[in-house]
Amino acid sequence: GQPTTNLTDQEAALGWPITLSLASSLSVLSPRPLSFFSFEADQWHFDELVWLLKFESRFVRGDQYAVALALLDRGNVVLGVLACPNLPLTSISVAHPHSPNNEVGCLFFAEVGRGTYMQLLEGSSTVKVQVSAVENPEEASFFESYESAHSMHDLSSLIAQKLGVKAAPIRMDSQVKYGALSRGDGAIYLRFPRNGYREKIWDHAAGSIVVTEAGGVVTDAAGKQLDFSKGKYLDLDTGIIVSNQKLMPLLFDAVRASLAQKSKPQP
């Protein structure tokens, strides 16, 4: 059956229509021995609702990692939670993407139509977050996956060049990128996997609503919204791009021009 616990006072005040205690359900997300996490990504179907749970074990190498939970209603993401145990409460930077901080471990949660909020994993103070308001690409920074199999770094570099981005990319794996972007740590997220790689819905469902409810835009390379209703894989065009409303038209132009250039036969 569907896992239920009591709402905390904070969640009740936000009007969350689910019986899920973030504090109790996600308290396990503090760094612990690997053997503690014995569950695997799975799907549960409850009267046209799908719960997606994904655990990513990158904490083994002390890297950024996320545990993501999303609620889908008829293929639409209506709620998302991202727990990022290694993410500092303050903004990360290109020079120090994994820098230690006095306050580390962030929880992001978003519900459709209600915005995105962030709090410390072991705290109670909650703030509403917004994506970066940067309009000039030269002032923007961007995220991409650390693992080259998950994103073609040469293509991302070409897109950034055409867009006029001057900052070096911030490379991290997992959905931590969605959380960091939702609070304005960067303005762009580029993900262009190599041929043969198929995107899974649990790698993007929670992160996508965390960003969109913070005022961002998440689409495939053709500008179409991600479709989570087709099973465990996303049926999308080429890749995934994320940004704010102002930068997205410029980003589309740079993506199209870069893809066209990469598709030309090399002399």
Side-chain angles (χ1 to χ4, degrees):
Q2 184 171 343
T4 61
T5 58
N6 294 326
L7 283 171
T8 64
D9 292 340
Q10 183 179 14
E11 294 153 2
L14 288 172
W16 281 39
I18 58 168
T19 51
L20 171 68
S21 170
L22 296 178
S24 60
S25 299
L26 298 176
S27 62
V28 299
L29 303 182
S30 298
R32 295 174 185 237
L34 179 61
S35 59
F36 181 87
F37 300 97
S38 60
F39 51 86
E40 298 178 355
D42 205 348
Q43 298 186 25
W44 296 268
H45 296 264
F46 302 103
D47 302 326
E48 300 181 305
L49 298 179
V50 181
W51 283 93
L52 304 174
L53 183 62
K54 170 80 174 184
F55 169 64
E56 303 184 23
S57 60
R58 293 180 178 90
F59 72 95
V60 172
R61 61 176 187 254
D63 211 340
Q64 294 291 348
Y65 69 99
V67 177
L69 178 68
L71 176 62
L72 274 64
D73 182 0
R74 298 174 180 87
N76 298 311
V77 185
V78 296
L79 184 148
V81 181
L82 285 180
C84 310
N86 285 345
L87 184 66
L89 184 64
T90 56
S91 177
I92 58 177
S93 67
V94 175
H96 304 287
H98 317 295
S99 61
N101 188 283
N102 290 333
E103 295 180 307
V104 176
C106 297
L107 180 70
F108 299 87
F109 49 100
E111 183 184 358
V112 64
R114 294 183 179 270
T116 298
Y117 297 82
M118 181 188 73
Q119 69 178 62
L120 277 171
L121 274 176
E122 298 182 357
S124 58
S125 178
T126 300
V127 295
K128 192 171 185 178
V129 296
Q130 291 287 322
V131 296
S132 170
V134 169
E135 299 182 23
N136 184 352
E138 293 185 359
E139 301 173 0
S141 58
F142 74 97
F143 294 101
E144 65 178 349
S145 296
Y146 181 84
E147 296 183 19
S148 58
H150 293 169
S151 193
M152 292 183 284
H153 294 163
D154 58 340
L155 177 57
S156 295
S157 178
L158 182 59
I159 294 170
Q161 179 183 352
K162 291 184 178 298
L163 194 58
V165 173
K166 295 183 177 180
I170 301 174
R171 290 176 177 167
M172 297 186 298
D173 283 321
S174 86
Q175 293 188 67
V176 170
K177 294 184 290 293
Y178 281 110
L181 193 141
S182 76
R183 68 183 188 183
D185 286 10
I188 299 168
Y189 169 26
L190 302 173
R191 184 178 174 98
F192 291 90
R194 299 188 180 279
N195 291 338
Y197 186 89
R198 299 184 68 187
E199 296 283 8
K200 301 175 183 65
I201 59 175
W202 52 74
D203 285 330
H204 300 280
S208 66
I209 192 172
V210 163
V211 167
T212 56
E213 283 299 311
V217 183
V218 182
T219 73
D220 68 8
K224 298 179 181 177
Q225 291 187 346
L226 304 188
D227 186 352
F228 296 97
S229 67
K230 304 272 176 112
K232 66 180 182 177
Y233 295 109
L234 285 172
D235 181 15
L236 49 78
D237 185 332
T238 309
I240 295 173
I241 56 178
V242 185
S243 190
N244 60 33
Q245 300 278 353
K246 296 291 187 179
L247 284 176
M248 190 57 86
L250 299 175
L251 182 56
F252 277 138
D253 290 343
V255 168
R256 283 193 290 265
S258 299
L259 289 174
Q261 180 175 329
K262 292 286 287 185
S263 65
K264 291 181 179 178
Q266 298 298 319

